[in-house]
Amino acid sequence: MGWLYDHAQIGDATRVVIDQLDHRTLNEIDGLENPTFENLSIWIWNKLARSARTVRGVVHETASVRCSYCGS
């Protein structure tokens, strides 16, 4: 019981997602036409859940403003 994950697997999966988002206009990305924090959290979750066995994703705007998503 406990936490067990492969940093390389998570790094590879997140790198793909970051590359899709970095220096892009979010509402021009398929699935992010309305890029609210809630929609962005779900979009990222859907990308990572398949490849990195994601349990929870959190998107931060600031240290006190964030959105958390655990899948459906």
Side-chain angles (χ1 to χ4, degrees), residues 4-6 8-14 45 47-55:
L4 179 64
Y5 60 92
D6 182 344
Q9 183 181 13
I10 292 172
D12 292 343
T14 55
W45 167 268
K47 298 291 183 179
L48 293 179
R50 295 180 214 139
S51 58
R53 296 185 187 181
T54 306
V55 174

Side-chain angles (χ1 to χ4, degrees), residues 1 5 14 19 24-25 39 42 44 48 52-53 57 66 68:
M1 301 291 292
Y5 60 92
T14 55
D19 288 346
R24 302 271 314 274
T25 302
N39 291 338
I42 293 167
I44 292 171
L48 293 179
R53 296 185 187 181
R66 66 184 177 274
S68 175

Side-chain angles (χ1 to χ4, degrees), residues 9-65:
Q9 183 181 13
I10 292 172
D12 292 343
T14 55
R15 190 171 305 108
V16 170
V17 172
I18 290 168
D19 288 346
Q20 292 177 18
L21 299 173
D22 192 30
H23 291 88
R24 302 271 314 274
T25 302
L26 295 180
N27 60 351
E28 293 177 358
I29 297 172
D30 288 338
L32 287 177
E33 292 80 11
N34 182 18
T36 63
F37 268 133
E38 295 83 3
N39 291 338
L40 184 58
S41 296
I42 293 167
W43 187 88
I44 292 171
W45 167 268
N46 288 331
K47 298 291 183 179
L48 293 179
R50 295 180 214 139
S51 58
R53 296 185 187 181
T54 306
V55 174
R56 176 185 303 261
V58 181
V59 176
H60 290 260
E61 179 180 16
T62 67
S64 61
V65 177

